[in-house]
Amino acid sequence: MKIVAKKKLWKYLFWLGPFLITVGLTVGLVSQQWGLIPLAFLIAGIVISGLGIIWQSYQSNWWRRRSTQAGTNALVATLAVLAILGLINFLGTRYHLRTDLTETQLFTLAPQSRELVRVLPQPVKVWVFDINPNPQDRELLENYQRQSSKFKYEYIDPQARPGLAEKFGVKDYGEVYLESGDKRQLVQTVNENERLSEVRLTSRLQQLTNSTTAKVYLLQGHGERQLSPGKGAISQAIQGLGDKNFTTSPLNLGETSKVPEDATVVIVAGPKRGLFEGEVKALQEYLNRGGNLLLMIDPNTDPKVDSLLQEWGVRLDNRLAVDVSGESVVGLGPAAPLVTEYGQHPITKDFRNGNSFYPIARPLEISSVPGVEATPLLRTKPYPKSWAESDLQSEKLEFNADKDLKGPLTLGVALTRKAVKSASTPQAAPTPSPLPSPTTQSKASPTPPASPASPASPAPLAPTPSPTPSSQTATESRLVVLGNSDFATDGLFQQQLNGDVFLNSVTWLSQQEKQPLSIRPKEPKNRRITLTTTQANLLILSSLLVLPLIGFAIAVIIWWKRR
C-alpha cells in the first residue's frame, strides 16, 4: 500500500511541470517582459515535465513499444518543421529579401528614388489625407520607408483632424503632401483611377530637399526645338528639368551677344540654321570660363559650330546612322538606331543594357586633344547590324564599302576640359603668366589648341575689372554632344531610356554633386486587352463550350481505346 501511494504521489508531483510552464507564459505575456521570474518558472516547469516523462516511460517500458517509436519520429519531424518555419519567419521579419519579377520592376523603387531617400539631409514625412488607405499606395510608401529611418508617412482622416487638414490647406480627399521642416508641398491627389506615383513623389521630394536652383538656358533663333507643347517640341523635357529643380529660360545670343553669368548649362537642341560667328564665339567664351554646353545636332544640318567642336576633338559626320537590329522592335525603320551599349560614365552608369533609340541620327568622330577627356556615351551595334550611310537619297539602304563606314558608331560623347576663369584688368595689359596669350583661331585651321588651359575662342575672354592684381582660378568645363535631338521630343522623351539620356546629361553638366544620376522611376505599363463584341463572344463560346467539348471528346477516345 505504501509503494502504491508513493507512485501516486510522484505522479501528481509531475503535474507541477505543466502548471509552472503555464505560470511562466502567463507572467511573460501579461507583463511583456521576459525577465528572471517568468524564465525561472518556464525552466523549472520544463525540467519537471521532462523528468516526469522519463520516469513514466521507464516504469511502463514505453520507449520499447513500436507505436512509441513511430510516434516519436513523427513528433521529432513535426518539431523540426515548426523550428524551420519559425526560423524562416524570424529571418523574414529581420531581413527584407524581395524579388520583383514584373517587366518594368513595378514593385521596386528606381535607383534614383533609393539614392535620394538614403541621403536625406533631414526627416521627411508624407501626409495622405484619405479615409481608406489603398494597399498599392501603402506598399509604395513602405518601400520608401525601408530605405531610410528619416522617411515617414501617415494616413489622416480630414474630418477627424480638421486642424491638421486646415494647416496643409486640404481641399479634397486623397490629397498627398510632403513635409520637411517648415516646407510643405502638394504631391498629387489620389483616387480610384489615379494611384500614388513614384515619379511625382520622387520629383517633389527632390525639389523639397534640394535648396539650390540651377539655371538652364536653351538657345533659340535658329530653328531649334520648340519649348512649348507642339509638333516636334521638347516641352516634356522642359517639364522633366523643372521636376529636377532646374529653372529654364530661352536664350537669343543675337540679342545679348553673351551667355548670362548665371547660366549653369546651355542647351542647343536641334538647330536647323547656322549660328552667327559672334554666337559661336559667345559659346566658346562661355566654355572657356567654365561653362557647360549640351549640343544635340541632327543630320542634314550645319549649325556652323565646327570651330567650337574642333577644340574638343569632335567632328560631325554628315552620313546617316543606320541600324537594322532594332527595325522590328522599335518599328521606326533602320534609320532609328537602337542603342543598348553605353559608356562607363556617370550619365549612363546605371543603364546596363537598357534600350534607347534615336530616329535620324548622325555619327560622331572623336579624336584625341591634349587636356580634353572624352568618353563615348552611345554606341550602335557592330557591322553588319549598323553602319553610316552616305547615300541619303536612296530608298533602299545598303552598305557601300567605298563610301560608308562600318559600325559600331558613336552617337553621343561626354567631354571635360580644364578651363581658366580670368578675373583681371583689361586684356590689353596682361600680367606675366605661364599661360599663353589668347590668339585668334581660324575656322579652317585644323590645329587643335596646344594646351587645355589656353583660351581657344577666336576672341579674347571678357575681363572682369578688379582693383586687385590679376588672378586665375582653374575650373572644369563640360560638353556633351549628341548626334540627334528627336529622341528628346514629346512622345519619344518618355520612351525607354530616352528621357534619362537627356536629363542625366543636363544633370552631369550642371556639376551639382548632390543631384542623383540614375534612371528615373518608371510608370506601370498599360497591359489591358481591348476586345470587340465579336471577340468577346468568341472567347466566351470557346471557353464555355469548345474547350469542354474537346476535353470530353479526348476522354471518350481514351476510354474507347482502353475498353
Side-chain angles (χ1 to χ4, degrees):
M1 293 294 294
K2 290 183 179 181
I3 296 175
V4 174
K6 190 174 183 181
K7 288 183 179 181
K8 288 183 178 180
L9 178 62
W10 277 104
K11 184 176 180 180
Y12 292 128
L13 245 159
F14 287 131
W15 279 104
L16 186 61
F19 173 76
L20 294 177
I21 293 175
T22 304
V23 172
L25 290 173
T26 303
V27 172
L29 292 173
V30 171
S31 63
Q32 295 184 352
Q33 293 181 356
W34 298 92
L36 181 61
I37 296 177
L39 288 178
F41 279 115
L42 286 173
I43 294 173
I46 292 173
V47 171
I48 293 174
S49 299
L51 291 175
I53 293 173
I54 295 173
W55 181 81
Q56 185 67 28
S57 61
Y58 176 77
Q59 292 292 327
S60 59
N61 292 327
W62 183 68
W63 286 105
R64 297 181 181 180
R65 300 175 185 175
R66 174 171 290 183
S67 60
T68 302
Q69 295 175 358
T72 303
N73 292 335
L75 179 62
V76 171
T78 302
L79 292 176
V81 171
L82 292 176
I84 293 172
L85 292 176
L87 180 61
I88 293 174
N89 187 46
F90 170 77
L91 294 176
T93 56
R94 181 65 61 89
Y95 307 100
H96 298 283
L97 180 61
R98 306 174 45 166
T99 302
D100 191 350
L101 301 179
T102 57
E103 178 185 0
T104 57
Q105 299 294 290
L106 186 59
F107 302 103
T108 303
L109 291 182
Q112 186 189 39
S113 301
R114 296 198 300 268
E115 182 180 353
L116 187 63
V117 177
R118 287 172 183 171
V119 296
L120 284 175
Q122 57 186 353
V124 173
K125 189 168 184 177
V126 177
W127 299 88
V128 185
F129 292 90
D130 205 351
I131 301 177
N132 301 316
N134 182 272
Q136 182 179 339
D137 295 347
R138 184 183 287 274
E139 177 66 22
L140 178 61
L141 294 172
E142 287 286 348
N143 284 342
Y144 276 93
Q145 189 169 268
R146 292 189 188 101
Q147 308 303 320
S148 173
S149 59
K150 294 182 179 180
F151 186 96
K152 303 292 182 183
Y153 74 93
E154 185 176 351
Y155 277 86
I156 299 296
D157 183 357
Q159 293 184 350
R161 299 180 65 179
L164 186 62
E166 184 179 357
K167 174 183 175 182
F168 281 87
V170 177
K171 299 178 181 179
D172 197 4
Y173 284 102
E175 292 187 2
V176 181
Y177 285 86
L178 263 175
E179 182 181 33
S180 178
D182 297 332
K183 299 179 180 179
R184 301 183 188 91
Q185 189 172 21
L186 176 66
V187 178
Q188 70 177 107
T189 301
V190 296
N191 50 53
E192 294 181 357
N193 299 321
E194 184 178 1
R195 303 290 5 129
L196 184 60
S197 168
E198 182 188 353
V199 174
R200 296 184 182 180
L201 185 54
T202 296
S203 299
R204 299 298 181 269
L205 184 61
Q206 187 170 338
Q207 292 178 4
L208 195 67
T209 57
N210 187 13
S211 58
T212 60
T213 301
K215 193 66 175 288
V216 176
Y217 285 93
L218 294 102
L219 192 65
Q220 297 288 283
H222 317 88
E224 288 88 355
R225 296 289 178 180
Q226 181 179 325
L227 307 185
S228 57
K231 184 178 180 180
I234 55 172
S235 62
Q236 292 179 344
I238 300 301
Q239 179 61 42
L241 291 175
D243 291 340
K244 292 181 72 67
N245 220 28
F246 288 103
T247 302
T248 57
S249 297
L251 172 64
N252 193 327
L253 288 176
E255 298 175 353
T256 62
S257 73
K258 182 181 178 182
V259 178
E261 293 292 337
D262 64 344
T264 305
V265 181
V266 174
I267 300 176
V268 182
K272 293 181 173 61
R273 298 181 294 273
L275 279 67
F276 293 115
E277 185 177 354
E279 294 177 307
V280 177
K281 289 181 179 180
L283 293 177
Q284 289 174 318
E285 292 177 359
Y286 171 65
L287 287 172
N288 289 340
R289 67 174 190 254
N292 309 285
L293 180 63
L294 172 60
L295 292 175
M296 300 189 295
I297 312 298
D298 295 312
N300 297 323
T301 60
D302 184 12
K304 306 296 183 183
V305 293
D306 294 340
S307 60
L308 184 152
L309 293 176
Q310 185 181 6
E311 301 171 3
W312 294 76
V314 180
R315 191 182 79 85
L316 299 173
D317 196 315
N318 292 323
R319 289 169 286 197
L320 178 68
V322 175
D323 182 6
V324 298
S325 64
E327 183 175 359
S328 60
V329 179
V330 180
L332 297 177
L338 180 67
V339 173
T340 58
E341 297 182 12
Y342 305 94
Q344 296 297 320
H345 191 271
I347 294 176
T348 54
K349 66 178 181 178
D350 291 322
F351 287 1
R352 296 183 179 87
N353 60 343
N355 297 323
S356 61
F357 55 94
Y358 307 85
I360 316 298
R362 70 192 309 166
L364 308 175
E365 293 184 13
I366 314 299
S367 58
S368 178
V369 172
V372 175
E373 181 181 350
T375 304
L377 297 177
L378 313 169
R379 292 181 70 86
T380 64
K381 295 176 176 59
Y383 178 81
K385 292 185 177 180
S386 73
W387 68 88
E389 176 66 43
S390 57
D391 188 1
L392 305 183
Q393 305 300 325
S394 176
E395 295 181 358
K396 188 176 182 180
L397 299 176
E398 292 181 345
F399 178 76
N400 189 328
D402 298 332
K403 301 179 180 179
D404 299 338
L405 177 66
K406 293 183 178 181
L409 309 173
T410 299
L411 303 183
V413 62
L415 308 104
T416 59
R417 185 182 71 180
K418 291 295 181 182
V420 174
K421 185 174 182 180
S422 177
S424 61
T425 54
Q427 198 75 18
T431 57
S433 171
L435 298 174
S437 301
T439 57
T440 303
Q441 181 177 343
S442 172
K443 186 178 292 187
S445 174
T447 307
S451 169
S454 302
S457 60
L461 297 177
T464 303
S466 172
T468 59
S470 130
S471 62
Q472 292 176 332
T473 305
T475 59
E476 183 181 75
S477 56
R478 296 180 176 183
L479 173 66
V480 172
V481 184
L482 303 175
N484 176 262
S485 66
D486 283 291
F487 79 98
T489 56
D490 294 353
L492 298 182
F493 178 80
Q494 295 179 336
Q495 299 295 324
Q496 302 296 324
L497 296 177
N498 286 13
D500 302 296
V501 173
F502 177 84
L503 292 178
N504 281 6
S505 296
V506 177
T507 303
W508 177 76
L509 287 170
S510 69
Q511 303 191 38
Q512 296 185 79
E513 301 301 331
K514 293 183 179 180
Q515 284 274 20
L517 273 166
S518 57
I519 302 175
R520 293 172 297 125
K522 297 294 184 290
E523 295 283 15
K525 291 185 178 181
N526 187 357
R527 298 295 186 185
R528 294 173 182 156
I529 300 176
T530 303
L531 299 177
T532 63
T533 304
T534 304
Q535 292 173 332
N537 293 334
L538 182 61
L539 181 62
I540 294 173
L541 184 65
S542 62
S543 59
L544 297 181
L545 183 62
V546 177
L547 292 180
L549 287 177
I550 292 175
F552 180 74
I554 293 174
V556 170
I557 293 172
I558 294 175
W559 171 80
W560 183 263
K561 287 185 176 181
R562 291 183 177 182
R563 178 170 167 265

Coordinates of all heavy atoms in Angstrom, one line a residue, residues 22 57 423 563:
T22 N 2.8 27.0 -17.5 CA 1.6 27.9 -17.8 C 1.8 29.3 -17.0 O 1.5 30.3 -17.5 CB 0.3 27.3 -17.3 OG1 0.2 26.0 -18.0 CG2 -0.9 28.2 -17.7
S57 N 8.0 6.7 -18.7 CA 8.4 5.8 -19.7 C 9.2 4.6 -19.2 O 9.1 3.5 -19.6 CB 9.2 6.5 -20.8 OG 10.3 7.1 -20.3
A423 N 40.0 86.8 -63.8 CA 39.5 88.0 -63.1 C 40.6 89.0 -63.0 O 41.4 88.9 -62.1 CB 39.0 87.6 -61.7
R563 N -11.0 0.1 -73.5 CA -12.2 -0.7 -73.3 C -11.9 -2.2 -73.6 O -11.3 -2.5 -74.6 CB -13.3 -0.2 -74.2 CG -14.6 -1.0 -74.1 CD -15.7 -0.3 -74.7 NE -16.9 -1.1 -74.9 CZ -17.1 -1.8 -76.1 NH1 -16.3 -1.6 -77.1 NH2 -18.2 -2.5 -76.2

